[in-house]
Amino acid sequence: MKKITVEKLAREFSLKVIAGQSQLQKKITQSRVHRPGLEFVGHFDFFPTERVQILGKKEITYLHKLSKEERKVRIGNIVHYHPPCFIVTAGDDDLTYLTHHCVEQGIPLLVAKRSEATSEFIPRLDAYLLKELAPEIAVHGVCMNVSGIGILLRGNSGVGKSETAHTLIRRGHRLVADDIVVLKKLSQQTILGTHDEKTKEFLALRSIGLLNVVRLYGRKAFQDETRIALDIHLTRWEKDALYNELDQKFHYTDYMGVKIPSIEIQLQPGRDVAGLIEAAANNWYLKQQGYSAAEEFMRRVSEDSSE
């Protein structure tokens, strides 16, 4: 199970630490946060104790209205479960009572910037935790964003993946990762492709060496991540190995239980492989919109024969 520390979360979101400074190495393992509501009135049957707890204006206003003794009981019931941390999004005014409980129980208490509403902060935090804690694997290949569509290029070493990626970059598409592609499973339908930080913005070309695509072609040549829509396997040319069917059926490659449509493109001198990848990406998009060129062609043939 992947984990991140409260300290890393505080640093990423510029959170102010007002209690539990010695406990910032506590681990966060759950990818969604929780706003305690029913828990304040004593209902703990489904309390997600391992999630980050968010206290917004609604929760803090409620606590302020309670008597000192009642507030002590309400908060005490929650801190008893030792969640990884509390984040207050309603400012740090008059939080002495909450600070006392967090210090006593060794729970980090953090405060977010006042400029961001709780309703905006929570989705941003959820998205960050989802990516950071997502199951991941590393695969050998190249990841590109072609016309807004995430493409994973695979193939044997030396087949021409990076060279093809370079051609695509020159045509205005974006590199995500070269050589090592990190795949993150965000849901049962979604695989995110990204880099491993060390290779960020770099493309390795045989006979040329290492290129920084951002320095060479500008910021538009690179993006940090992309949702993988197509898995394209580049192979060496074999005569009669592929058939010119009207409608090529997708095969699928399984990545951590998520099936990604997969096609094979053979390389041969003079063949516009980058153009074929562009065509594959755009054709995939049209199929998602419900359009099939083969079906339209067959309809036209059928209409001609019936006249």
Side-chain angles (χ1 to χ4, degrees):
M1 179 183 293
K2 295 187 66 179
K3 306 173 183 178
I4 65 168
T5 64
V6 174
E7 182 179 34
K8 181 177 180 181
L9 184 68
R11 186 169 58 249
E12 183 71 24
F13 285 83
S14 301
L15 303 175
K16 180 181 178 182
V17 182
I18 62 175
Q21 286 85 349
S22 63
Q23 300 296 318
L24 293 179
Q25 295 307 309
K26 290 187 71 171
K27 300 296 190 295
I28 299 170
T29 60
Q30 297 296 312
S31 59
R32 295 199 178 278
V33 302
H34 177 67
R35 294 183 75 172
L38 290 174
E39 291 79 13
F40 279 133
V41 295
H43 186 75
F44 291 92
D45 288 354
F46 302 100
F47 182 33
T49 59
E50 295 181 350
R51 294 186 185 181
V52 172
Q53 304 297 312
I54 304 293
L55 301 177
K57 185 176 182 179
K58 179 174 62 176
E59 291 79 17
I60 294 298
T61 300
Y62 169 77
L63 291 173
H64 283 346
K65 290 181 178 179
L66 299 176
S67 67
K68 183 177 180 181
E69 288 303 315
E70 191 174 10
R71 191 162 55 209
K72 181 179 179 181
V73 172
R74 301 296 188 196
I75 298 174
N77 287 340
I78 291 180
V79 299
H80 171 75
Y81 287 92
H82 289 89
C85 67
F86 287 98
I87 299 178
V88 178
T89 60
D92 57 359
D93 298 336
D94 195 18
L95 295 180
T96 306
Y97 58 89
L98 188 57
T99 302
H100 171 76
H101 280 281
C102 289
V103 170
E104 191 175 69
Q105 295 294 329
I107 301 172
L109 176 60
L110 315 171
V111 176
K113 296 178 180 178
R114 280 181 179 269
S115 58
E116 188 171 19
T118 306
S119 59
E120 297 172 349
F121 178 77
I122 288 178
R124 193 162 67 91
L125 181 55
D126 274 342
Y128 170 77
L129 291 174
L130 182 63
K131 290 179 184 178
E132 285 294 312
L133 300 175
E136 66 179 46
I137 58 173
V139 300
H140 179 66
V142 178
C143 185
M144 295 288 302
N145 184 280
V146 178
S147 300
I149 297 164
I151 304 290
L152 180 61
L153 299 179
R154 296 185 302 118
N156 294 334
S157 180
V159 76
K161 299 182 295 296
S162 297
E163 290 80 358
T164 301
H166 181 255
T167 302
L168 288 167
I169 292 168
R170 292 294 305 273
R171 293 186 179 189
H173 306 295
R174 297 177 177 180
L175 174 71
V176 176
D178 180 43
D179 191 31
I180 300 297
V181 181
V182 177
L183 301 179
K184 296 189 175 189
K185 180 181 178 180
L186 300 189
S187 72
Q188 294 301 320
Q189 297 81 34
T190 306
I191 293 290
L192 191 75
T194 186
H195 50 79
D196 66 354
E197 291 294 339
K198 295 188 294 292
T199 60
K200 181 180 180 179
E201 301 176 357
F202 289 126
L203 181 69
L205 297 178
R206 281 180 168 79
S207 303
I208 303 298
L210 203 60
L211 305 180
N212 185 310
V213 299
V214 172
R215 294 294 184 93
L216 280 176
Y217 304 115
R219 292 301 316 171
K220 63 179 176 55
F222 174 81
Q223 74 178 52
D224 210 49
E225 59 192 27
T226 188
R227 177 179 176 175
I228 302 297
L230 272 178
D231 179 54
I232 296 180
H233 193 197
L234 301 181
T235 61
R236 299 191 185 280
W237 181 268
E238 291 183 26
K239 187 178 181 181
D240 299 327
L242 298 177
Y243 299 95
N244 188 27
E245 297 178 359
L246 290 179
D247 191 16
Q248 292 286 342
K249 302 298 182 182
F250 283 123
H251 297 287
Y252 292 87
T253 304
D254 187 295
Y255 294 107
M256 294 177 286
V258 180
K259 295 187 181 300
I260 303 297
S262 178
I263 63 174
E264 178 184 346
I265 295 180
Q266 291 192 359
L267 285 77
Q268 185 184 43
R271 198 173 196 217
D272 183 10
V273 177
L276 291 175
I277 291 172
E278 289 175 321
N282 291 325
N283 196 48
W284 174 88
Y285 175 78
L286 288 175
K287 286 188 175 183
Q288 303 312 298
Q289 307 306 305
Y291 173 79
S292 169
E295 289 179 4
E296 182 176 356
F297 175 76
M298 295 306 297
R299 177 179 57 78
R300 292 181 183 181
V301 171
S302 177
E303 289 174 351
D304 287 344
S305 61
S306 62
E307 292 179 355

